[in-house]
Amino acid sequence: MDTPAAPPAPYDLLGVGIGPFNLSLAALAEPVPGLRTLFCDQRPEFRWHPGMLVDGARMQVPFLADLVSLVDPTNPWSFLNYLRDRDRLFPFYFAERFQLPRREYDHYCRWAAERLGNCRFGTEVTALHWQQGLFRAELTDTATGRRSHVHARNLALGVGTRPVLPEAFAVLDGHPRAFHSADYLDRRGDLAGARDITVVGSGQSGAEVLLDLLRRHDGDGVRLRWLTRTRALAPMEYSKLGLEHFTPDYTRYFHSLPEPVRDTLVAAQWQLHKAASAETLAEIHDHLYERTIGRPIDTAPVEITPGTAVTDARPGPRGGIELHCRHADSGAEHLVRTDAVVLATGYRAARPAALEPLAHLIDWDAAGRYRVDLDHRVATRPQLTGGLYVQNAELHTHGVGTPDLGLGAHRAAVILNAVTGRTVHRLPTRTAWTGFAPPRAAIATPTIPRPQELTRAATAGR
């Protein structure tokens, strides 16, 4: 009689979703001796914001914000090693570019994802359970429909964020000429024939969409409009000291603050993580300047209107769209009739459906969000003893650096150290010149002598 095969050993870490952050974790985990990891994604291959890989669009972070370099520059999955593998080191050297083209960053990540042995695409994690001290993950092969399961001691959720459709635009969901910027390249053809196009949203995506439309409709009479709720088209904060908000030092400080303070800060710091780059705004201005040489500036069919909120959006006559708008400063309301709308209205973290079987074991905060410790581990009920970690779902607990690629490798290393219970990667204790918190010990304010006291002291010293 044949002896039944023993079940496979559980994985030490199972990653759900393979975006840049879980890909970073996979790349840092792969060389660790004895560590069994698996990362699954339902897509057939790695893709990074494919709808926004517009020609000429550049990253907002330096190339060192790759999958591994800011933790381990010697790791084989660094961007420089990718260049070496593709025989592009000398072209990159002569290009003298610190920020990469978006298309190249996407290609680099796909290069790593296709070669990492612990990444499995075309595999959807459909349900997660807690059974007998282990996570049980139900898997489905998206090509064949075949089902299987694996066990793991720890989970890392890296399912990314989802496009936000503001409530005011809910009625337009499914409209052939109203779509989110996440689908811009796939849906750009739907704008053909439109004589009036409106872009909503003042972040980098909105700026890049407007710039691309300006280039495509130079001189053809198509009216372009840019509406933003923010009162000014202020650029992304990119000063050297300002960038220290994207360090582990600031993350630790932000995490230590009371929840109401954190929520207020995230909204107030929009210019740190939601604005457009100064370079893109300059390109828009340069394009408009060149277009109007020899003509009054108001002859260009372009409207840029900040401080304007769309309060309601509805289908209009002849397939058009009507936008009811309110000006923030004056309170004046007006109606905009347009043929098409591109919504550059951002992204929001979403709870994956596979997590529902575990939802009753998670210690949610009052707003239904994860409670996340400094190691990026989610607070759970006592009976769930495995580690549940999140990536890019903790903006409310870890601050503006959460979605930033520059902190991706560091966060992955923190999770890896926590999962293994040892220092796999040594991390620096201080990363910023700025001290964000007040001094630990109160410093007494020195007593400043009054002028007459100074006079008496000087006389006594003669």
Side-chain angles (χ1 to χ4, degrees):
M1 178 181 293
D2 294 335
T3 303
Y11 288 98
D12 297 301
L13 176 64
L14 172 67
V16 182
I18 308 177
F21 295 133
N22 258 359
L23 186 60
S24 175
L25 184 54
L28 288 172
E30 190 208 36
V32 180
L35 187 69
R36 298 190 72 242
T37 62
L38 176 67
F39 294 80
C40 298
D41 196 293
Q42 64 182 349
R43 298 170 300 175
E45 62 181 359
F46 181 94
R47 297 300 304 275
W48 182 71
H49 294 301
M52 284 302 298
L53 297 181
V54 181
D55 286 345
R58 308 192 70 77
M59 303 291 291
Q60 291 180 281
V61 292
F63 73 91
L64 286 173
D66 64 9
L67 300 173
V68 295
S69 289
L70 286 174
V71 167
D72 179 14
T74 67
N75 187 288
W77 305 110
S78 70
F79 176 73
L80 288 178
N81 203 40
Y82 155 80
L83 291 177
R84 178 180 180 274
D85 182 73
R86 308 299 297 181
D87 291 333
R88 286 177 63 84
L89 272 172
F90 272 95
F92 179 73
Y93 168 62
F94 291 124
E96 294 185 345
R97 291 175 175 176
F98 212 40
Q99 276 81 19
L100 306 176
R102 282 175 172 265
R103 290 174 53 240
E104 187 166 30
Y105 178 79
D106 173 68
H107 193 269
Y108 154 66
C109 287
R110 282 191 283 127
W111 168 83
E114 290 166 2
R115 290 160 176 78
L116 279 164
N118 54 1
C119 289
R120 187 188 299 177
F121 288 88
T123 302
E124 181 181 5
V125 178
T126 55
L128 295 163
H129 304 270
W130 179 250
Q131 296 177 348
Q132 299 178 338
L134 292 171
F135 291 104
R136 175 187 168 99
E138 306 294 333
L139 311 179
T140 299
D141 186 305
T142 57
T144 65
R146 180 177 175 271
R147 297 182 179 181
S148 60
H149 69 271
V150 296
H151 290 92
R153 297 184 178 90
N154 300 278
L155 291 179
L157 299 180
V159 295
T161 54
R162 296 176 185 171
V164 172
L165 181 70
E167 186 177 349
F169 294 90
V171 176
L172 296 182
D173 193 12
H175 192 286
R177 282 186 171 173
F179 53 87
H180 196 276
S181 59
D183 301 317
Y184 178 65
L185 287 185
D186 293 332
R187 299 284 303 274
R188 190 168 60 183
D190 296 344
L191 303 178
R195 302 301 297 170
D196 188 297
I197 303 172
T198 301
V199 180
V200 178
S202 60
Q204 184 67 15
S205 295
E208 288 178 359
V209 168
L210 179 69
L211 181 59
D212 185 66
L213 291 172
L214 283 170
R215 290 166 172 165
R216 296 174 64 82
H217 295 287
D218 189 358
D220 64 3
V222 171
R223 177 167 293 277
L224 301 177
R225 184 181 297 102
W226 194 12
L227 299 178
T228 78
R229 287 188 304 172
T230 54
R231 283 181 162 85
L233 292 169
M236 181 82 78
E237 168 59 56
Y238 212 75
S239 66
K240 289 179 171 61
L241 288 176
L243 288 175
E244 291 195 340
H245 285 84
F246 301 94
T247 59
D249 289 30
Y250 185 74
T251 298
R252 288 190 291 269
Y253 163 71
F254 185 90
H255 191 273
S256 71
L257 297 172
E259 183 179 305
V261 177
R262 295 197 303 247
D263 289 344
T264 300
L265 272 177
V266 168
Q269 293 174 334
W270 63 271
Q271 205 170 339
L272 286 170
H273 64 119
K274 286 188 175 181
S277 71
E279 291 77 14
T280 307
L281 294 175
E283 287 185 72
I284 291 172
H285 189 276
D286 290 347
H287 186 96
L288 293 173
Y289 185 88
E290 293 284 341
R291 179 187 281 201
T292 56
I293 289 176
R295 297 183 293 151
I297 64 173
D298 58 0
T299 57
V302 178
E303 301 175 17
I304 299 176
T305 312
T308 301
V310 177
T311 58
D312 189 42
R314 297 188 175 277
R318 297 182 297 278
I321 297 170
E322 293 184 345
L323 305 177
H324 296 263
C325 303
R326 179 183 295 119
H327 188 253
D329 292 338
S330 66
E333 297 185 354
H334 64 280
L335 178 66
V336 169
R337 290 186 172 92
T338 187
D339 297 329
V341 176
V342 181
L343 296 167
T345 46
Y347 300 80
R348 181 183 297 126
R351 185 192 309 181
L355 197 62
E356 288 309 308
L358 295 177
H360 66 290
L361 296 175
I362 295 175
D363 183 18
W364 307 99
D365 72 7
R369 303 171 299 189
Y370 302 110
R371 298 184 193 273
V372 190
D373 71 12
L374 263 178
D375 288 343
H376 305 278
R377 180 170 176 165
V378 173
T380 58
R381 304 300 178 188
Q383 58 266 43
L384 199 165
T385 56
L388 173 60
Y389 299 86
V390 289
Q391 302 221 61
N392 199 12
E394 68 276 32
L395 180 66
H396 59 291
T397 58
H398 287 64
V400 294
T402 297
D404 191 80
L405 293 172
L407 277 173
H410 184 275
R411 175 171 50 203
V414 168
I415 293 173
L416 196 55
N417 288 349
V419 165
T420 60
R422 58 189 175 89
T423 303
V424 176
H425 293 287
R426 182 181 62 83
L427 299 174
T429 57
R430 183 73 185 266
T431 54
W433 298 109
T434 308
F436 298 101
R440 290 182 178 273
I443 300 175
T445 303
T447 302
I448 301 175
R450 293 188 293 273
Q452 58 268 34
E453 293 175 341
L454 290 172
T455 302
R456 286 197 297 268
T459 303
R462 284 180 186 162

